[in-house]
Amino acid sequence: TEADLAILRQRIVDPKDAPRSAPHLFAVNDLITKFNDKVFDESSGEKVIITAYDEVLGNVTSDVKKQIRKTLLTKSPSDTGNFISKLNAGVGLYYETTANLNVEDGIVNGSGCVLKKLQYQGTDSTIPFIIWVEFDRPKVGQITRNKHNNFYTPDIDRSWTPIFAQRRTFYV
């Protein structure tokens, strides 16, 4: 309604004046990506860029497999089950899940969380084995926390939820 629009217009602020923690709305995904990249670049905590590993299975030549992997890098998340080819992961930054990882546990598209810790497997690893997050709602991730109880150490808060690498199969 016109009254609703008037209320929304009263809440418009210049982006440079808005706190980073405030929800930001963008008309197109490119603007979201630019904003998120800027927040990541300016963050001072531990951070890493995680690139998806795409494996092509099937009875096709290695050249065809390479071409498919190359094509996947150009696909939008809407074409890949909301999975992205690159994740800028920074401790202390706010995230929302973009896929339904565990519906029963509440880890669904749009679940908000703060990245708390990047855990690596071995000293030479450059890719996190576990991304520890704290969800906005304490019940979200409770099943996962209980299931992976053995991964908790004294430096990992029991309210944090482990997120492991995800695997999805897309048939081509």
Side-chain angles (χ1 to χ4, degrees):
T1 68
E2 196 57 45
D4 292 331
L5 290 173
I7 290 172
L8 287 174
R9 286 186 190 105
Q10 291 173 358
R11 287 161 173 76
I12 294 175
V13 296
D14 190 302
K16 68 180 182 298
D17 297 330
R20 291 279 170 154
S21 59
H24 289 69
L25 302 176
F26 297 97
V28 293
N29 285 341
D30 285 345
L31 294 176
I32 295 169
T33 300
K34 285 179 184 175
F35 176 81
N36 290 341
D37 287 348
K38 182 177 180 187
V39 170
F40 178 77
D41 291 342
E42 293 175 354
S43 69
S44 59
E46 179 186 1
K47 53 188 173 180
V48 65
I49 298 172
I50 303 169
T51 304
Y53 172 74
D54 297 312
E55 182 178 19
V56 179
L57 304 174
N59 191 16
V60 294
T61 67
S62 62
D63 287 341
V64 170
K65 289 180 181 184
K66 284 180 189 175
Q67 185 59 39
I68 291 172
R69 280 195 299 274
K70 186 177 178 183
T71 301
L72 284 172
L73 293 174
T74 64
K75 295 286 185 184
S76 75
S78 63
D79 294 327
T80 59
N82 279 344
F83 284 86
I84 55 177
S85 59
K86 179 187 79 157
L87 173 66
N88 293 337
V91 172
L93 297 180
Y94 186 81
Y95 293 87
E96 288 184 359
T97 56
T98 60
N100 293 335
L101 303 181
N102 186 330
V103 174
E104 179 185 6
D105 202 12
I107 307 174
V108 296
N109 186 1
S111 297
C113 62
V114 174
L115 196 156
K116 294 300 210 172
K117 180 178 179 67
L118 299 166
Q119 183 176 342
Y120 296 86
Q121 191 171 27
T123 55
D124 294 337
S125 180
T126 58
I127 300 171
F129 171 60
I130 302 172
I131 295 176
W132 292 93
V133 301
E134 185 171 32
F135 285 101
D136 295 343
R137 296 185 6 236
K139 286 189 175 186
V140 173
Q142 189 170 4
I143 295 169
T144 300
R145 290 190 294 275
N146 291 337
K147 179 180 177 182
H148 299 292
N149 190 31
N150 57 316
F151 286 101
Y152 287 88
T153 58
D155 66 326
I156 297 173
D157 191 287
R158 293 286 177 165
S159 66
W160 300 353
T161 304
I163 304 295
F164 298 89
Q166 299 295 306
R167 172 172 259 176
R168 295 291 192 268
T169 302
F170 299 96
Y171 297 96
V172 292

mmCIF file of all heavy atoms in Angstrom, residues 19-62:
data_model
loop_
_atom_site.group_PDB
_atom_site.id
_atom_site.type_symbol
_atom_site.label_atom_id
_atom_site.label_comp_id
_atom_site.label_asym_id
_atom_site.label_seq_id
_atom_site.Cartn_x
_atom_site.Cartn_y
_atom_site.Cartn_z
ATOM 1 N N PRO A 19 25.163 1.074 9.380
ATOM 2 C CA PRO A 19 26.108 0.168 10.046
ATOM 3 C C PRO A 19 26.279 -1.117 9.236
ATOM 4 O O PRO A 19 25.351 -1.565 8.561
ATOM 5 C CB PRO A 19 25.454 -0.125 11.399
ATOM 6 C CG PRO A 19 24.077 0.419 11.339
ATOM 7 C CD PRO A 19 23.953 1.299 10.140
ATOM 8 N N ARG A 20 27.471 -1.703 9.292
ATOM 9 C CA ARG A 20 27.736 -2.945 8.546
ATOM 10 C C ARG A 20 26.793 -4.066 8.960
ATOM 11 O O ARG A 20 26.447 -4.912 8.170
ATOM 12 C CB ARG A 20 29.175 -3.414 8.780
ATOM 13 C CG ARG A 20 30.212 -2.543 8.180
ATOM 14 C CD ARG A 20 30.365 -2.851 6.731
ATOM 15 N NE ARG A 20 31.212 -1.825 6.161
ATOM 16 C CZ ARG A 20 31.937 -1.991 5.113
ATOM 17 N NH1 ARG A 20 31.927 -3.109 4.478
ATOM 18 N NH2 ARG A 20 32.663 -1.012 4.659
ATOM 19 N N SER A 21 26.385 -4.059 10.233
ATOM 20 C CA SER A 21 25.556 -5.146 10.736
ATOM 21 C C SER A 21 24.091 -5.015 10.310
ATOM 22 O O SER A 21 23.324 -5.962 10.456
ATOM 23 C CB SER A 21 25.637 -5.193 12.263
ATOM 24 O OG SER A 21 25.204 -3.956 12.802
ATOM 25 N N ALA A 22 23.706 -3.870 9.773
ATOM 26 C CA ALA A 22 22.326 -3.680 9.334
ATOM 27 C C ALA A 22 22.074 -4.482 8.061
ATOM 28 O O ALA A 22 22.956 -4.612 7.214
ATOM 29 C CB ALA A 22 22.071 -2.197 9.066
ATOM 30 N N PRO A 23 20.874 -5.024 7.919
ATOM 31 C CA PRO A 23 20.557 -5.722 6.662
ATOM 32 C C PRO A 23 20.651 -4.757 5.483
ATOM 33 O O PRO A 23 20.208 -3.615 5.573
ATOM 34 C CB PRO A 23 19.113 -6.195 6.857
ATOM 35 C CG PRO A 23 18.889 -6.171 8.331
ATOM 36 C CD PRO A 23 19.774 -5.080 8.872
ATOM 37 N N HIS A 24 21.263 -5.216 4.428
ATOM 38 C CA HIS A 24 21.386 -4.415 3.214
ATOM 39 C C HIS A 24 20.573 -5.082 2.115
ATOM 40 O O HIS A 24 20.674 -6.299 1.926
ATOM 41 C CB HIS A 24 22.853 -4.323 2.785
ATOM 42 C CG HIS A 24 23.687 -3.472 3.689
ATOM 43 N ND1 HIS A 24 24.011 -3.832 4.974
ATOM 44 C CD2 HIS A 24 24.250 -2.256 3.491
ATOM 45 C CE1 HIS A 24 24.743 -2.887 5.525
ATOM 46 N NE2 HIS A 24 24.907 -1.917 4.648
ATOM 47 N N LEU A 25 19.787 -4.298 1.405
ATOM 48 C CA LEU A 25 18.974 -4.816 0.314
ATOM 49 C C LEU A 25 19.513 -4.278 -1.000
ATOM 50 O O LEU A 25 19.763 -3.079 -1.133
ATOM 51 C CB LEU A 25 17.513 -4.392 0.486
ATOM 52 C CG LEU A 25 16.835 -4.827 1.791
ATOM 53 C CD1 LEU A 25 15.427 -4.260 1.871
ATOM 54 C CD2 LEU A 25 16.809 -6.338 1.894
ATOM 55 N N PHE A 26 19.688 -5.177 -1.960
ATOM 56 C CA PHE A 26 20.201 -4.791 -3.265
ATOM 57 C C PHE A 26 19.269 -5.317 -4.341
ATOM 58 O O PHE A 26 18.652 -6.377 -4.187
ATOM 59 C CB PHE A 26 21.607 -5.361 -3.479
ATOM 60 C CG PHE A 26 22.619 -4.830 -2.500
ATOM 61 C CD1 PHE A 26 22.952 -5.553 -1.368
ATOM 62 C CD2 PHE A 26 23.232 -3.607 -2.709
ATOM 63 C CE1 PHE A 26 23.887 -5.064 -0.469
ATOM 64 C CE2 PHE A 26 24.163 -3.113 -1.812
ATOM 65 C CZ PHE A 26 24.494 -3.849 -0.688
ATOM 66 N N ALA A 27 19.197 -4.594 -5.440
ATOM 67 C CA ALA A 27 18.293 -4.965 -6.525
ATOM 68 C C ALA A 27 18.822 -6.137 -7.347
ATOM 69 O O ALA A 27 18.035 -6.911 -7.893
ATOM 70 C CB ALA A 27 18.047 -3.761 -7.431
ATOM 71 N N VAL A 28 20.143 -6.272 -7.445
ATOM 72 C CA VAL A 28 20.716 -7.343 -8.268
ATOM 73 C C VAL A 28 21.866 -8.028 -7.518
ATOM 74 O O VAL A 28 22.512 -7.428 -6.660
ATOM 75 C CB VAL A 28 21.223 -6.807 -9.634
ATOM 76 C CG1 VAL A 28 20.075 -6.325 -10.501
ATOM 77 C CG2 VAL A 28 22.235 -5.697 -9.450
ATOM 78 N N ASN A 29 22.131 -9.274 -7.866
ATOM 79 C CA ASN A 29 23.147 -10.070 -7.183
ATOM 80 C C ASN A 29 24.551 -9.492 -7.316
ATOM 81 O O ASN A 29 25.371 -9.646 -6.415
ATOM 82 C CB ASN A 29 23.119 -11.510 -7.686
ATOM 83 C CG ASN A 29 21.931 -12.267 -7.137
ATOM 84 O OD1 ASN A 29 21.328 -11.876 -6.143
ATOM 85 N ND2 ASN A 29 21.565 -13.349 -7.798
ATOM 86 N N ASP A 30 24.850 -8.847 -8.425
ATOM 87 C CA ASP A 30 26.188 -8.265 -8.602
ATOM 88 C C ASP A 30 26.503 -7.242 -7.512
ATOM 89 O O ASP A 30 27.636 -7.157 -7.030
ATOM 90 C CB ASP A 30 26.328 -7.611 -9.982
ATOM 91 C CG ASP A 30 26.480 -8.632 -11.099
ATOM 92 O OD1 ASP A 30 26.765 -9.812 -10.793
ATOM 93 O OD2 ASP A 30 26.326 -8.238 -12.267
ATOM 94 N N LEU A 31 25.504 -6.460 -7.125
ATOM 95 C CA LEU A 31 25.712 -5.468 -6.066
ATOM 96 C C LEU A 31 25.932 -6.154 -4.713
ATOM 97 O O LEU A 31 26.727 -5.684 -3.898
ATOM 98 C CB LEU A 31 24.523 -4.510 -5.993
ATOM 99 C CG LEU A 31 24.327 -3.611 -7.217
ATOM 100 C CD1 LEU A 31 23.064 -2.768 -7.077
ATOM 101 C CD2 LEU A 31 25.549 -2.731 -7.437
ATOM 102 N N ILE A 32 25.246 -7.253 -4.489
ATOM 103 C CA ILE A 32 25.449 -8.029 -3.263
ATOM 104 C C ILE A 32 26.887 -8.526 -3.216
ATOM 105 O O ILE A 32 27.573 -8.391 -2.196
ATOM 106 C CB ILE A 32 24.470 -9.220 -3.200
ATOM 107 C CG1 ILE A 32 23.037 -8.731 -3.101
ATOM 108 C CG2 ILE A 32 24.809 -10.143 -2.025
ATOM 109 C CD1 ILE A 32 21.998 -9.827 -3.312
ATOM 110 N N THR A 33 27.338 -9.097 -4.323
ATOM 111 C CA THR A 33 28.696 -9.639 -4.385
ATOM 112 C C THR A 33 29.724 -8.549 -4.139
ATOM 113 O O THR A 33 30.677 -8.744 -3.377
ATOM 114 C CB THR A 33 28.933 -10.323 -5.747
ATOM 115 O OG1 THR A 33 27.977 -11.382 -5.888
ATOM 116 C CG2 THR A 33 30.336 -10.884 -5.850
ATOM 117 N N LYS A 34 29.560 -7.388 -4.766
ATOM 118 C CA LYS A 34 30.501 -6.283 -4.573
ATOM 119 C C LYS A 34 30.537 -5.840 -3.111
ATOM 120 O O LYS A 34 31.608 -5.605 -2.547
ATOM 121 C CB LYS A 34 30.150 -5.107 -5.487
ATOM 122 C CG LYS A 34 30.513 -5.334 -6.933
ATOM 123 C CD LYS A 34 30.120 -4.154 -7.797
ATOM 124 C CE LYS A 34 30.420 -4.467 -9.253
ATOM 125 N NZ LYS A 34 29.970 -3.419 -10.146
ATOM 126 N N PHE A 35 29.368 -5.713 -2.496
ATOM 127 C CA PHE A 35 29.304 -5.311 -1.099
ATOM 128 C C PHE A 35 29.996 -6.355 -0.212
ATOM 129 O O PHE A 35 30.821 -6.011 0.644
ATOM 130 C CB PHE A 35 27.844 -5.120 -0.657
ATOM 131 C CG PHE A 35 27.705 -4.805 0.802
ATOM 132 C CD1 PHE A 35 27.907 -3.511 1.265
ATOM 133 C CD2 PHE A 35 27.390 -5.798 1.715
ATOM 134 C CE1 PHE A 35 27.786 -3.214 2.615
ATOM 135 C CE2 PHE A 35 27.275 -5.509 3.069
ATOM 136 C CZ PHE A 35 27.464 -4.214 3.517
ATOM 137 N N ASN A 36 29.655 -7.619 -0.422
ATOM 138 C CA ASN A 36 30.248 -8.680 0.401
ATOM 139 C C ASN A 36 31.761 -8.763 0.214
ATOM 140 O O ASN A 36 32.501 -8.985 1.177
ATOM 141 C CB ASN A 36 29.593 -10.025 0.085
ATOM 142 C CG ASN A 36 28.165 -10.097 0.587
ATOM 143 O OD1 ASN A 36 27.751 -9.325 1.445
ATOM 144 N ND2 ASN A 36 27.402 -11.022 0.041
ATOM 145 N N ASP A 37 32.232 -8.602 -1.015
ATOM 146 C CA ASP A 37 33.676 -8.617 -1.269
ATOM 147 C C ASP A 37 34.374 -7.469 -0.537
ATOM 148 O O ASP A 37 35.460 -7.644 0.017
ATOM 149 C CB ASP A 37 33.974 -8.530 -2.770
ATOM 150 C CG ASP A 37 33.667 -9.820 -3.512
ATOM 151 O OD1 ASP A 37 33.445 -10.865 -2.853
ATOM 152 O OD2 ASP A 37 33.646 -9.795 -4.761
ATOM 153 N N LYS A 38 33.733 -6.301 -0.511
ATOM 154 C CA LYS A 38 34.323 -5.149 0.176
ATOM 155 C C LYS A 38 34.398 -5.396 1.685
ATOM 156 O O LYS A 38 35.422 -5.118 2.315
ATOM 157 C CB LYS A 38 33.499 -3.886 -0.116
ATOM 158 C CG LYS A 38 34.069 -2.645 0.517
ATOM 159 C CD LYS A 38 33.274 -1.415 0.149
ATOM 160 C CE LYS A 38 33.911 -0.206 0.815
ATOM 161 N NZ LYS A 38 33.162 0.997 0.664
ATOM 162 N N VAL A 39 33.330 -5.935 2.256
ATOM 163 C CA VAL A 39 33.328 -6.247 3.691
ATOM 164 C C VAL A 39 34.424 -7.260 4.002
ATOM 165 O O VAL A 39 35.171 -7.116 4.971
ATOM 166 C CB VAL A 39 31.941 -6.772 4.139
ATOM 167 C CG1 VAL A 39 31.992 -7.332 5.549
ATOM 168 C CG2 VAL A 39 30.895 -5.669 4.042
ATOM 169 N N PHE A 40 34.548 -8.286 3.151
ATOM 170 C CA PHE A 40 35.581 -9.315 3.348
ATOM 171 C C PHE A 40 36.975 -8.692 3.258
ATOM 172 O O PHE A 40 37.831 -8.931 4.116
ATOM 173 C CB PHE A 40 35.419 -10.413 2.296
ATOM 174 C CG PHE A 40 36.451 -11.495 2.369
ATOM 175 C CD1 PHE A 40 36.383 -12.486 3.333
ATOM 176 C CD2 PHE A 40 37.500 -11.537 1.463
ATOM 177 C CE1 PHE A 40 37.325 -13.496 3.407
ATOM 178 C CE2 PHE A 40 38.453 -12.530 1.522
ATOM 179 C CZ PHE A 40 38.370 -13.514 2.496
ATOM 180 N N ASP A 41 37.214 -7.896 2.230
ATOM 181 C CA ASP A 41 38.531 -7.272 2.035
ATOM 182 C C ASP A 41 38.910 -6.374 3.210
ATOM 183 O O ASP A 41 40.084 -6.313 3.591
ATOM 184 C CB ASP A 41 38.572 -6.460 0.738
ATOM 185 C CG ASP A 41 38.519 -7.337 -0.511
ATOM 186 O OD1 ASP A 41 38.799 -8.549 -0.410
ATOM 187 O OD2 ASP A 41 38.177 -6.806 -1.585
ATOM 188 N N GLU A 42 37.935 -5.674 3.774
ATOM 189 C CA GLU A 42 38.210 -4.746 4.862
ATOM 190 C C GLU A 42 38.267 -5.415 6.236
ATOM 191 O O GLU A 42 38.666 -4.786 7.210
ATOM 192 C CB GLU A 42 37.155 -3.632 4.876
ATOM 193 C CG GLU A 42 37.254 -2.723 3.663
ATOM 194 C CD GLU A 42 36.128 -1.692 3.599
ATOM 195 O OE1 GLU A 42 35.198 -1.750 4.449
ATOM 196 O OE2 GLU A 42 36.167 -0.843 2.695
ATOM 197 N N SER A 43 37.872 -6.691 6.315
ATOM 198 C CA SER A 43 37.869 -7.361 7.620
ATOM 199 C C SER A 43 39.306 -7.669 8.048
ATOM 200 O O SER A 43 40.181 -7.919 7.221
ATOM 201 C CB SER A 43 37.046 -8.645 7.576
ATOM 202 O OG SER A 43 37.678 -9.622 6.788
ATOM 203 N N SER A 44 39.540 -7.623 9.348
ATOM 204 C CA SER A 44 40.895 -7.813 9.858
ATOM 205 C C SER A 44 41.103 -9.176 10.494
ATOM 206 O O SER A 44 42.211 -9.508 10.877
ATOM 207 C CB SER A 44 41.220 -6.712 10.879
ATOM 208 O OG SER A 44 40.297 -6.760 11.944
ATOM 209 N N GLY A 45 40.041 -9.959 10.629
ATOM 210 C CA GLY A 45 40.167 -11.283 11.237
ATOM 211 C C GLY A 45 40.763 -12.298 10.277
ATOM 212 O O GLY A 45 41.061 -12.002 9.110
ATOM 213 N N GLU A 46 40.918 -13.514 10.773
ATOM 214 C CA GLU A 46 41.412 -14.611 9.926
ATOM 215 C C GLU A 46 40.432 -14.827 8.782
ATOM 216 O O GLU A 46 39.214 -14.826 8.986
ATOM 217 C CB GLU A 46 41.529 -15.893 10.755
ATOM 218 C CG GLU A 46 42.006 -17.084 9.942
ATOM 219 C CD GLU A 46 41.990 -18.392 10.731
ATOM 220 O OE1 GLU A 46 41.595 -18.392 11.913
ATOM 221 O OE2 GLU A 46 42.365 -19.413 10.137
ATOM 222 N N LYS A 47 40.965 -15.000 7.587
ATOM 223 C CA LYS A 47 40.084 -15.214 6.443
ATOM 224 C C LYS A 47 40.765 -16.078 5.400
ATOM 225 O O LYS A 47 41.994 -16.167 5.345
ATOM 226 C CB LYS A 47 39.613 -13.893 5.848
ATOM 227 C CG LYS A 47 40.706 -12.904 5.498
ATOM 228 C CD LYS A 47 40.096 -11.568 5.116
ATOM 229 C CE LYS A 47 41.156 -10.515 4.939
ATOM 230 N NZ LYS A 47 40.591 -9.225 4.580
ATOM 231 N N VAL A 48 39.933 -16.709 4.579
ATOM 232 C CA VAL A 48 40.416 -17.583 3.513
ATOM 233 C C VAL A 48 39.380 -17.583 2.393
ATOM 234 O O VAL A 48 38.188 -17.380 2.642
ATOM 235 C CB VAL A 48 40.653 -19.027 4.053
ATOM 236 C CG1 VAL A 48 39.348 -19.675 4.496
ATOM 237 C CG2 VAL A 48 41.343 -19.894 3.015
ATOM 238 N N ILE A 49 39.859 -17.750 1.175
ATOM 239 C CA ILE A 49 38.952 -17.901 0.034
ATOM 240 C C ILE A 49 38.894 -19.387 -0.298
ATOM 241 O O ILE A 49 39.921 -20.009 -0.574
ATOM 242 C CB ILE A 49 39.437 -17.087 -1.180
ATOM 243 C CG1 ILE A 49 39.459 -15.600 -0.827
ATOM 244 C CG2 ILE A 49 38.546 -17.353 -2.392
ATOM 245 C CD1 ILE A 49 40.101 -14.723 -1.885
ATOM 246 N N ILE A 50 37.691 -19.946 -0.227
ATOM 247 C CA ILE A 50 37.489 -21.367 -0.490
ATOM 248 C C ILE A 50 36.878 -21.504 -1.879
ATOM 249 O O ILE A 50 35.818 -20.944 -2.158
ATOM 250 C CB ILE A 50 36.562 -21.993 0.566
ATOM 251 C CG1 ILE A 50 37.142 -21.785 1.967
ATOM 252 C CG2 ILE A 50 36.347 -23.471 0.277
ATOM 253 C CD1 ILE A 50 36.178 -22.129 3.085
ATOM 254 N N THR A 51 37.568 -22.239 -2.740
ATOM 255 C CA THR A 51 37.096 -22.466 -4.100
ATOM 256 C C THR A 51 36.482 -23.855 -4.195
ATOM 257 O O THR A 51 37.048 -24.827 -3.689
ATOM 258 C CB THR A 51 38.256 -22.335 -5.103
ATOM 259 O OG1 THR A 51 38.851 -21.044 -4.942
ATOM 260 C CG2 THR A 51 37.771 -22.479 -6.526
ATOM 261 N N ALA A 52 35.333 -23.931 -4.826
ATOM 262 C CA ALA A 52 34.645 -25.214 -4.971
ATOM 263 C C ALA A 52 35.494 -26.173 -5.798
ATOM 264 O O ALA A 52 36.188 -25.769 -6.736
ATOM 265 C CB ALA A 52 33.294 -25.020 -5.643
ATOM 266 N N TYR A 53 35.423 -27.424 -5.421
ATOM 267 C CA TYR A 53 36.066 -28.471 -6.214
ATOM 268 C C TYR A 53 34.964 -29.196 -6.964
ATOM 269 O O TYR A 53 34.079 -29.790 -6.353
ATOM 270 C CB TYR A 53 36.835 -29.454 -5.328
ATOM 271 C CG TYR A 53 37.344 -30.641 -6.109
ATOM 272 C CD1 TYR A 53 38.421 -30.504 -6.965
ATOM 273 C CD2 TYR A 53 36.720 -31.874 -6.013
ATOM 274 C CE1 TYR A 53 38.885 -31.571 -7.708
ATOM 275 C CE2 TYR A 53 37.173 -32.958 -6.758
ATOM 276 C CZ TYR A 53 38.251 -32.800 -7.595
ATOM 277 O OH TYR A 53 38.697 -33.863 -8.339
ATOM 278 N N ASP A 54 35.005 -29.099 -8.275
ATOM 279 C CA ASP A 54 33.992 -29.733 -9.104
ATOM 280 C C ASP A 54 34.583 -30.978 -9.747
ATOM 281 O O ASP A 54 35.606 -30.915 -10.427
ATOM 282 C CB ASP A 54 33.505 -28.770 -10.197
ATOM 283 C CG ASP A 54 32.836 -27.537 -9.617
ATOM 284 O OD1 ASP A 54 31.983 -27.717 -8.735
ATOM 285 O OD2 ASP A 54 33.166 -26.419 -10.044
ATOM 286 N N GLU A 55 33.920 -32.097 -9.502
ATOM 287 C CA GLU A 55 34.371 -33.364 -10.071
ATOM 288 C C GLU A 55 33.328 -33.820 -11.081
ATOM 289 O O GLU A 55 32.136 -33.884 -10.769
ATOM 290 C CB GLU A 55 34.526 -34.408 -8.961
ATOM 291 C CG GLU A 55 35.038 -35.732 -9.453
ATOM 292 C CD GLU A 55 35.218 -36.729 -8.317
ATOM 293 O OE1 GLU A 55 34.636 -36.534 -7.232
ATOM 294 O OE2 GLU A 55 35.939 -37.699 -8.528
ATOM 295 N N VAL A 56 33.775 -34.127 -12.275
ATOM 296 C CA VAL A 56 32.886 -34.574 -13.327
ATOM 297 C C VAL A 56 33.056 -36.084 -13.471
ATOM 298 O O VAL A 56 34.160 -36.579 -13.700
ATOM 299 C CB VAL A 56 33.196 -33.870 -14.663
ATOM 300 C CG1 VAL A 56 32.273 -34.380 -15.761
ATOM 301 C CG2 VAL A 56 33.082 -32.365 -14.511
ATOM 302 N N LEU A 57 31.969 -36.795 -13.299
ATOM 303 C CA LEU A 57 31.994 -38.254 -13.414
ATOM 304 C C LEU A 57 31.263 -38.662 -14.683
ATOM 305 O O LEU A 57 30.326 -38.022 -15.107
ATOM 306 C CB LEU A 57 31.314 -38.886 -12.193
ATOM 307 C CG LEU A 57 31.885 -38.491 -10.832
ATOM 308 C CD1 LEU A 57 31.031 -39.076 -9.715
ATOM 309 C CD2 LEU A 57 33.317 -38.965 -10.706
ATOM 310 N N GLY A 58 31.682 -39.742 -15.255
ATOM 311 C CA GLY A 58 30.991 -40.244 -16.431
ATOM 312 C C GLY A 58 31.972 -40.679 -17.503
ATOM 313 O O GLY A 58 33.182 -40.444 -17.416
ATOM 314 N N ASN A 59 31.433 -41.283 -18.491
ATOM 315 C CA ASN A 59 32.231 -41.838 -19.568
ATOM 316 C C ASN A 59 32.409 -40.792 -20.669
ATOM 317 O O ASN A 59 31.848 -40.905 -21.761
ATOM 318 C CB ASN A 59 31.554 -43.108 -20.109
ATOM 319 C CG ASN A 59 32.464 -43.867 -21.050
ATOM 320 O OD1 ASN A 59 33.676 -43.622 -21.071
ATOM 321 N ND2 ASN A 59 31.896 -44.769 -21.827
ATOM 322 N N VAL A 60 33.185 -39.744 -20.352
ATOM 323 C CA VAL A 60 33.503 -38.693 -21.317
ATOM 324 C C VAL A 60 35.000 -38.441 -21.263
ATOM 325 O O VAL A 60 35.674 -38.785 -20.295
ATOM 326 C CB VAL A 60 32.730 -37.385 -21.032
ATOM 327 C CG1 VAL A 60 31.237 -37.579 -21.240
ATOM 328 C CG2 VAL A 60 32.999 -36.873 -19.629
ATOM 329 N N THR A 61 35.520 -37.820 -22.281
ATOM 330 C CA THR A 61 36.962 -37.573 -22.354
ATOM 331 C C THR A 61 37.386 -36.554 -21.307
ATOM 332 O O THR A 61 36.573 -35.776 -20.787
ATOM 333 C CB THR A 61 37.365 -37.041 -23.751
ATOM 334 O OG1 THR A 61 36.796 -35.748 -23.922
ATOM 335 C CG2 THR A 61 36.894 -37.990 -24.852
ATOM 336 N N SER A 62 38.670 -36.516 -21.015
ATOM 337 C CA SER A 62 39.185 -35.552 -20.041
ATOM 338 C C SER A 62 38.991 -34.123 -20.543
ATOM 339 O O SER A 62 38.780 -33.208 -19.741
ATOM 340 C CB SER A 62 40.651 -35.823 -19.723
ATOM 341 O OG SER A 62 41.435 -35.694 -20.883
#
